[in-house]
Amino acid sequence: MIETLFADVILPLPLHQLFTYRIPRELNEVVMPGQRVMVQFGKQKVLTALIRTLHSNPPKQYEAKYILSLLDQVPIINEKQFEHWEWMAAYYMCGLGEVMNAALPSALKLESETKILLNNQYSLEKEKLNDQEFLIVEALEVNNILTLEDIAAILDQKIVYPIIKSLLEKGIIFLEEEVKKKFKPKIKTFIKLNPQYADEDQLKQIFDKLEKKAAKQLDLLMAYLHLSKYNSNAPTEVSKENLLKFSKATDAALNALFEKNILEKEEREVGRFLNTENLLNELPTLNEYQEQAFNQLTELFNPSPLQREEEKRVILLHGITSSGKTEIYIRLIQEAIEQGKQVLYLLPEIALTTQIITRLKKVFGNKVGVYHSRLNHNERVEVWNAVLNPQLTSEDKKDEGITFKIVLGARSALFLPFNNLGLVIVDEEHENSYKQFDPSPRYNARNAAIYLARIHGAKTLLGSATPSIESFYNAQAGKYGFVQITKRHGNILLPEILVADIKEETKKKRMKSIFTPLLAEAIANALKEGEQIILFQNRRGFVPIIECTTCNWIPRCIQCDVSLTYHKYNNQIKCHYCGYTTKVPIRCGACGNATLILKGLGTEKIVEETEIIFPKAKVLRMDLDTTRSKHAYHQIISDFEDKKIDILVGTQMVSKGLDFDNVSLVGILNADSMLYYPDFRAFEHSFQLMAQVSGRAGRKNKRGKVIIQTSNPYHNVIQYVVNNDYDALYQSEIIQRRNFNYPPFYRLIEFSVKHKDKEVTDMAAQQLAADLKILLGKRIIGPEYPMISRIKNLYIKNIIAKIELNLPHQKIKEEIKNIISQFKLKDEFKSVRIMIDVDPQ
């Protein structure tokens, strides 16, 4: 008797439990954990699920449905990934399905689209249909199949399910679930000579015939022979794309050669990533400070048997800007590869991959893969497959299969199917870009990468010139290893940092538009010397506020409690939270006054003012608005490296690890906007941003200069930046954190209560806080409205839990989940949304 098998599967839904499905007996011998399957969920929905476990125990509470089909011959998720996902779900208090959604490339998830069809066997009595039903039936008689979106458009209303349900009950229509597979392999056509013409005499006869009647076909054939480096013993294929490009021939000429059976074609799947040869095949030479740091890292990672207690699996490398941390990373990567291990190299911004990938490929060639959200769906799947299995990624099948040994990427890269991870590098580990804010799981990629390395028994290196307070504390406490580099590469001096007082210069009426005299003169001198400048302002758009001069009215978002930012390039005002956009008002919306003024400073305005004051300079900005396209980062950075741009204006994108040889001046236009943000990490983040962007100056040939414009030049953080004194910042911050129960001494969990009705939000927040206080007492702070209390028409109230490190955190999280589950059962709060953010940034 054949055993009845069941599978517990993960569904891509925000649910905490697994669901059990019955396996068709014909699949008993081929199903494995980690494979994708199609399952029906509810009455109509078809979803892609992942098999987690196999067993022979039917569910007790419901009758298991059959798995509809098996999508993979081999698992696409391994056991180490599942272990990592389960840790993330437990630690960040979310469902496994939410982790699955974040982890899998969207092309590996199937899309289910409801199709509505007319039941032709039903005798229609149209007089029994209401007007809306009649319209749908008439449309189906013309179009045969409609989607829910089509019906919504026909009826000009969003909610159409009641009408569909009525037609279903009358038997007039039926539904069909059409499942679309998103991943489309890249197909290329390859051309080769028909073997019967491999003989030179036969080939000569072909030449004679074509020469008389088809000169263009002869030119095309000659082009093929040239590209294929023709050898009669082994005819070689070439791609159709390359052949047509080289010969400048048409498809018609090529098709004629196919019809005459002179050339043959074959279509096959190819990879999207071309082979690249190693350009250097040699490791970078380290200076004495780098060599010393490298030796310290090696000793901590691999101590002698007598010093085994000194071993550290996680090490913080604190190297000042331009100290050459990347060269050390390369040496460590080489060691890992020589041991047959895989390497994960995380960066906080996609922009950084543009420069780093070039440096890594010079040494490691096609062993390096890139993975981030700007890749299209199909490219992401190919990188996934190349990490999972040896995968052909070149155009020539005869090439050796490529498997990426090194993956460079943003935070999503840590979800790739590594099976032999040996080293994880988290560069610029302090960056809050590593934190996923929405949707769930709201994870920190740095912490998740450390746990991933632990699962694989791999080493983790955290690198930064301005480490996070938590990481530095862990290093000082001995939890992490610690290595420091205090000298810049080539003994280049740290930049000279000067402070310009905006308040004083404004009072004396010496401001030159947005520039103090000190900064304006420095820009002029740098341009005169043929040097480049970076201007930093952490706010995009033209200005953040348009204000009425009479009544101080400010145009605000209709969905969020925030002012609309003016974007001059498209003459619109826009909400940076929900995307709402409208025309620029010509009159005050309250009193009708026609005099509106622009207040504040964004990157667009800086570009405009800079071009007016320095008309001969080539100015470009780098912010979210100018880098939306796939290759925009690369183009801007390449142009700046090639000195096609004199002044680069940017947001925090320009502060993160970019390396430019000719930048002599950095201007920070308004430091105050960072310093006075209401957050316990504001001073830490301000120091990091200013220190990082300052490090872009004077990196190769001469000492650079940094000018910080501020209304408070004697602020402690400004002085820490001027003196490059991270230790002073750390000591100041750690005292405040200890006194007020913040990380690294406490763990934080933030609960955001959201609802479209303000009163319901208030009631729900008060009730949830009261429920949580029964468990955690005075550790619960709030509820309070955040600085922006309404986003996308949802009112928000936040509750913070501060939990000591020595308490059983996982047990507390389970009890909190139970409290929230009970809270959601209350009728009055069923429509309330609760967002949980563990370790909020």
Side-chain angles (χ1 to χ4, degrees):
M1 182 177 177
I2 300 175
E3 183 183 12
T4 302
L5 272 182
F6 295 89
D8 290 338
V9 303
I10 304 170
L11 293 174
L13 300 170
L15 302 169
H16 291 272
Q17 71 269 36
L18 302 179
F19 289 83
T20 303
Y21 284 81
R22 188 169 178 176
I23 297 170
R25 290 184 177 178
E26 64 270 19
L27 297 178
N28 276 6
E29 301 300 319
V30 293
V31 291
M32 291 178 278
Q35 290 173 316
R36 290 175 304 150
V37 291
M38 281 175 52
V39 298
Q40 183 179 341
F41 188 73
K43 290 184 178 179
Q44 296 294 336
K45 197 71 176 172
V46 176
L47 299 172
T48 305
L50 274 168
I51 297 176
R52 180 63 187 101
T53 55
L54 299 170
H55 56 82
S56 56
N57 304 316
K60 295 178 181 178
Q61 296 177 336
Y62 55 91
E63 184 179 349
K65 296 176 183 177
Y66 276 98
I67 283 172
L68 300 179
S69 65
L70 182 67
L71 300 177
D72 303 305
Q73 293 181 343
V74 297
I76 65 162
I77 302 293
N78 59 47
E79 188 59 34
K80 285 186 169 66
Q81 282 176 286
F82 278 135
E83 186 180 344
H84 191 228
W85 290 11
E86 285 161 359
W87 172 82
M88 287 190 74
Y91 187 86
Y92 292 105
M93 301 179 70
C94 62
L96 261 178
E98 292 172 297
V99 182
M100 171 185 167
N101 266 332
L104 280 185
S106 58
L108 290 180
K109 291 176 281 192
L110 297 184
E111 187 179 69
S112 176
E113 185 178 354
T114 302
K115 301 287 183 181
I116 292 93
L117 297 87
L118 192 63
N119 185 355
N120 293 321
Q121 296 179 353
Y122 188 81
S123 176
L124 289 174
E125 297 180 42
K126 294 187 180 179
E127 66 276 6
K128 291 185 178 180
L129 303 179
N130 63 36
D131 291 344
Q132 291 177 317
E133 291 171 345
F134 184 85
L135 279 173
I136 294 172
V137 170
E138 279 204 323
L140 283 169
E141 287 176 337
V142 175
N143 297 294
N144 298 322
I145 298 176
L146 294 174
T147 66
L148 291 177
E149 286 183 359
D150 295 333
I151 291 172
I154 291 166
L155 300 179
D156 193 24
Q157 64 184 61
K158 290 183 178 179
I159 301 172
V160 297
Y161 186 75
I163 303 156
I164 301 299
K165 184 180 178 183
S166 173
L167 288 170
L168 279 169
E169 289 171 350
K170 293 174 182 177
I172 295 170
I173 63 169
F174 63 91
L175 305 182
E176 179 186 83
E177 286 290 338
E178 179 184 303
V179 179
K180 296 179 178 180
K181 193 171 184 180
K182 292 184 182 177
F183 176 57
K184 294 180 181 178
K186 185 176 182 181
I187 305 297
K188 277 202 171 186
T189 302
F190 293 90
I191 314 295
K192 66 178 179 181
L193 187 67
N194 188 326
Q196 75 181 65
Y197 298 116
D199 181 81
E200 290 187 11
D201 292 335
Q202 295 282 343
L203 197 56
K204 189 174 184 305
Q205 291 178 25
I206 295 296
F207 286 166
D208 294 338
K209 288 180 183 178
L210 295 177
E211 189 174 18
K212 294 175 183 177
K213 298 182 179 180
K216 290 183 178 179
Q217 294 172 34
L218 177 60
D219 290 342
L220 184 56
L221 180 58
M222 295 295 289
Y224 161 77
L225 295 173
H226 175 78
L227 283 176
S228 66
K229 299 177 181 177
Y230 172 71
N231 182 333
S232 59
N233 296 322
T236 309
E237 62 185 17
V238 297
S239 72
K240 175 183 174 181
E241 180 184 3
N242 289 344
L243 178 58
L244 292 178
K245 185 177 180 181
F246 179 77
S247 64
K248 298 181 181 177
T250 62
D251 279 316
L254 184 59
N255 289 333
L257 292 176
F258 291 149
E259 290 171 6
K260 294 173 181 177
N261 290 322
I262 297 170
L263 293 179
E264 296 179 342
K265 65 179 177 178
E266 179 190 355
E267 291 186 340
R268 65 171 182 264
E269 181 182 341
V270 297
R272 289 174 170 78
F273 301 94
L274 300 179
N275 259 330
T276 55
E277 296 298 325
N278 294 21
L279 301 180
L280 292 181
N281 285 318
E282 61 182 37
L283 297 174
T285 303
L286 303 184
N287 63 30
E288 61 175 305
Y289 306 109
Q290 292 170 314
E291 192 73 48
Q292 184 180 0
F294 175 74
N295 291 336
Q296 289 176 332
L297 288 168
T298 304
E299 288 171 12
L300 287 170
F301 277 142
N302 306 293
S304 64
L306 295 176
Q307 297 175 310
R308 186 61 64 188
E309 69 278 0
E310 300 294 325
E311 182 183 16
K312 299 292 182 185
R313 306 303 294 180
V314 182
I315 300 176
L316 174 64
L317 175 61
H318 180 199
I320 61 171
T321 55
S322 196
S323 59
K325 294 185 288 295
T326 306
E327 284 80 6
I328 296 172
Y329 299 159
I330 289 171
R331 287 281 290 271
L332 291 169
I333 290 168
Q334 178 64 22
E335 282 192 353
I337 290 176
E338 287 174 353
Q339 294 166 12
K341 301 286 187 178
Q342 295 168 303
V343 177
L344 172 60
Y345 190 141
L346 287 179
L347 290 161
E349 290 278 359
I350 298 168
L352 293 180
T353 63
T354 301
Q355 284 194 330
I356 300 296
I357 192 65
T358 303
R359 295 173 72 175
L360 291 184
K361 284 204 168 187
K362 284 182 179 179
V363 181
F364 301 110
N366 56 33
K367 294 186 181 75
V368 185
V370 183
Y371 191 82
H372 53 67
S373 59
R374 289 293 172 93
L375 298 180
N376 66 42
H377 299 315
N378 295 326
E379 288 170 336
R380 297 183 85 182
V381 171
E382 289 200 6
V383 177
W384 185 283
N385 289 335
V387 174
L388 181 66
N389 293 307
Q391 178 82 5
L392 287 173
T393 55
S394 72
E395 295 184 7
D396 191 343
K397 264 191 171 178
K398 293 171 185 169
D399 287 348
E400 184 182 345
I402 296 170
T403 179
F404 291 137
K405 294 291 187 184
I406 309 156
V407 176
L408 179 75
R411 59 177 181 255
S412 59
L414 64 84
F415 291 114
L416 286 165
F418 298 103
N419 50 52
N420 191 22
L421 198 58
L423 176 65
V424 175
I425 296 169
V426 185
D427 199 11
E428 310 294 349
E429 65 84 29
H430 63 278
E431 279 289 347
N432 62 359
S433 301
Y434 281 124
K435 175 71 174 179
Q436 163 97 354
F437 291 99
D438 268 314
S440 184
R442 295 171 182 84
Y443 66 97
N444 187 307
R446 176 194 65 211
N447 299 340
I450 290 171
Y451 195 85
L452 177 68
R454 178 179 167 184
I455 290 170
H456 284 265
K459 303 173 178 69
T460 306
L461 181 61
L462 310 177
S464 177
T466 55
S468 65
I469 298 297
E470 289 93 327
S471 292
F472 198 80
Y473 174 81
N474 286 333
Q476 297 298 302
K479 183 178 178 181
Y480 298 167
F482 183 67
V483 175
Q484 197 167 22
I485 310 176
T486 57
K487 298 286 185 181
R488 290 184 123 191
H489 192 56
N491 286 319
I492 299 295
L493 293 173
L494 284 167
E496 178 188 11
I497 301 179
L498 305 174
V499 181
D501 190 338
I502 297 174
K503 187 190 293 182
E504 184 68 21
E505 299 296 350
T506 302
K507 190 188 298 182
K508 293 180 179 179
K509 298 183 179 180
R510 298 199 307 194
M511 291 290 292
K512 202 169 185 179
S513 179
I514 58 175
F515 301 110
T516 56
L518 181 64
L519 181 55
E521 184 182 351
I523 292 172
N525 290 338
L527 292 172
K528 186 178 178 181
E529 296 293 324
E531 296 163 348
Q532 291 171 296
I533 300 113
I534 290 176
L535 298 178
F536 170 71
Q537 170 68 4
N538 203 24
R539 187 184 288 274
R540 62 190 172 100
F542 192 79
V543 294
I545 294 173
I546 297 176
E547 186 176 82
C548 172
T549 56
T550 302
C551 68
N552 302 115
W553 171 83
I554 296 170
R556 303 183 74 83
C557 178
I558 61 172
Q559 301 180 119
C560 311
D561 283 341
V562 65
S563 62
L564 295 170
T565 300
Y566 173 44
H567 289 256
K568 190 173 183 180
Y569 76 95
N570 58 5
N571 198 35
Q572 291 181 327
I573 49 177
K574 182 176 181 179
C575 174
H576 289 172
Y577 287 86
C578 71
Y580 169 75
T581 303
T582 188
K583 293 179 180 178
V584 178
I586 57 174
R587 292 184 176 275
C588 173
C591 70
N593 176 33
T595 308
L596 303 175
I597 60 171
L598 304 178
K599 297 182 74 174
L601 190 62
T603 50
E604 268 190 82
K605 185 176 182 181
I606 294 167
V607 169
E608 183 179 278
E609 295 295 318
T610 304
E611 288 174 335
I612 292 170
I613 297 171
F614 305 102
K616 294 182 180 179
K618 297 170 188 171
V619 187
L620 199 71
R621 66 188 167 97
M622 188 163 103
D623 57 25
L624 186 62
D625 295 323
T626 62
T627 56
R628 292 187 187 278
S629 65
K630 181 175 178 180
H631 301 293
Y633 284 116
H634 178 75
Q635 190 60 53
I636 293 172
I637 290 169
S638 294
D639 287 349
F640 197 57
E641 284 179 326
D642 295 340
K643 302 177 184 177
K644 296 177 183 177
I645 302 166
D646 298 314
I647 302 173
L648 182 64
V649 177
T651 56
Q652 58 182 333
M653 289 180 183
V654 301
S655 72
K656 299 176 181 179
L658 296 171
D659 186 0
F660 301 114
D661 293 351
N662 196 43
V663 173
S664 66
L665 174 67
V666 167
I668 298 172
L669 294 177
N670 186 2
D672 303 329
S673 61
M674 296 179 282
L675 290 170
Y676 300 113
Y677 192 80
D679 178 70
F680 76 93
R681 286 193 174 95
F683 288 178
E684 175 190 1
H685 288 164
S686 299
F687 176 88
Q688 288 165 342
L689 270 172
M690 286 189 276
Q692 289 284 341
V693 75
S694 298
R696 305 312 113 209
R699 297 176 64 85
K700 286 290 187 293
N701 303 316
K702 61 179 282 188
R703 189 183 188 191
K705 181 181 287 186
V706 178
I707 296 174
I708 301 173
Q709 295 191 160
T710 175
S711 298
N712 189 358
Y714 300 105
H715 192 287
N716 286 345
V717 174
I718 300 286
Q719 292 304 310
Y720 297 152
V721 175
V722 169
N723 298 319
N724 190 39
D725 196 347
Y726 176 84
D727 288 338
L729 170 86
Y730 172 76
Q731 293 300 333
S732 170
E733 284 295 291
I734 210 71
I735 291 169
Q736 294 294 318
R737 306 278 182 95
R738 183 182 284 111
N739 289 343
F740 294 101
N741 300 344
Y742 281 112
F745 303 102
Y746 280 67
R747 291 254 172 85
L748 302 186
I749 303 175
E750 182 178 71
F751 306 89
S752 295
V753 179
K754 300 184 179 183
H755 195 269
K756 62 184 178 182
D757 187 291
K758 190 172 185 292
E759 289 186 9
V760 174
T761 306
D762 286 337
M763 288 171 53
Q766 289 292 345
Q767 182 60 58
L768 181 59
D771 293 345
L772 290 170
K773 283 177 181 177
I774 294 171
L775 173 67
L776 294 170
K778 293 182 179 179
R779 298 177 183 87
I780 296 297
I781 311 297
E784 296 289 345
Y785 283 111
M787 192 168 66
I788 299 170
S789 59
R790 184 173 63 105
I791 296 177
K792 297 181 181 178
N793 279 330
L794 292 174
Y795 290 92
I796 306 165
K797 263 198 161 179
N798 290 339
I799 302 164
I800 296 283
K802 295 182 177 180
I803 305 171
E804 298 93 326
L805 296 182
N806 59 358
L807 294 181
H809 282 254
Q810 201 50 51
K811 184 180 178 183
I812 290 171
K813 287 175 183 176
E814 290 299 324
E815 292 180 9
I816 288 172
K817 283 197 281 188
N818 291 334
I819 289 171
I820 292 173
S821 296
Q822 292 299 314
F823 173 85
K824 288 181 176 178
L825 292 176
K826 297 173 182 177
D827 290 339
E828 65 269 35
F829 299 139
K830 281 185 177 177
S831 58
V832 172
R833 296 170 61 187
I834 299 174
M835 306 295 158
I836 304 174
D837 190 359
V838 178
D839 301 336
Q841 291 291 308

